Amino acid sequence: MDSIFTRIIKGEIPSYKIAENDCCFAFLDINPLAKGHTLLVPKKEVDYLFDLDNALYTELMLFAKKIAPAIEKTVPCERIGMAVLGLEVPHAHIHLVPIRSIADLDFSKPKLKLCESEFSALAAGIRANLD
Ligand code: AMP
């Protein structure tokens, strides 16, 4: 069975899409730690990030390098933090989270509750700031 992220990539489940290329897909995390919290996923379904082959791993990191500045321009923050957990969804992904302090990357914190219009506005803002 396809992972929830594969279903998002295929368009079977809605998402607040940020960008995609041949091998990677970016969309807003639905339970964000901060406004602009974005997930980057390889289209190929591999559970563990560090099992990706070198080429795809590199593509995903380069994709992060493209998306992070757009988030940073959209959401007031000090910088963009990057995290890998994968404890919930067995499809490799990177979290990009706007941060101001170390506590902003604490995934045990309660997540933000945003409404659809807030998610849509954030996604549109980030997309508009992509180079
Ligand atoms: P983890 O696997 O521990 O890195 O966590 C998976 C992340 O995926 C969590 O932060 C979830 O909020 C997020 N997530 C799960 N389902 C969706 C979805 N349908 N759309 C956006 N984000 C999701």
Side-chain angles (χ1 to χ4, degrees):
M1 204 179 91
D2 286 344
S3 76
I4 189 161
F5 290 168
T6 295
R7 298 190 64 204
I8 285 173
I9 292 161
K10 286 180 173 176
E12 295 170 2
I13 293 178
S15 71
Y16 298 95
K17 180 178 167 182
I18 304 297
E20 70 177 309
N21 63 19
D22 284 353
C23 56
C24 303
F25 194 97
F27 56 100
L28 294 180
D29 193 303
I30 204 72
N31 301 302
L33 266 179
K35 288 184 176 181
H37 181 166
T38 298
L39 300 177
L40 310 184
V41 182
K43 290 182 176 177
K44 182 176 179 191
E45 196 174 313
V46 173
D47 177 353
Y48 190 38
L49 183 82
F50 300 114
D51 286 335
L52 295 179
D53 64 47
N54 287 352
L56 186 51
Y57 182 87
T58 302
E59 285 295 334
L60 190 63
M61 290 299 157
L62 292 172
F63 193 54
K65 197 162 179 256
K66 177 182 160 70
I67 305 293
I71 302 172
E72 202 170 342
K73 280 185 202 157
T74 310
V75 180
C77 61
E78 181 86 24
R79 55 177 56 217
I80 301 300
M82 184 163 93
V84 174
L85 288 86
L87 296 171
E88 187 185 315
V89 177
H91 184 151
H93 53 281
I94 292 171
H95 296 254
L96 294 183
V97 185
I99 58 170
R100 290 181 189 279
S101 75
I102 201 166
D104 295 336
L105 264 187
D106 177 358
F107 278 77
S108 65
K109 279 197 321 192
K111 307 301 186 292
L112 298 183
K113 297 280 178 223
L114 303 180
C115 65
E116 203 176 322
S117 61
E118 289 175 297
F119 277 117
S120 295
L122 281 163
I126 296 168
R127 285 195 302 267
N129 281 321
L130 285 167
D131 282 333

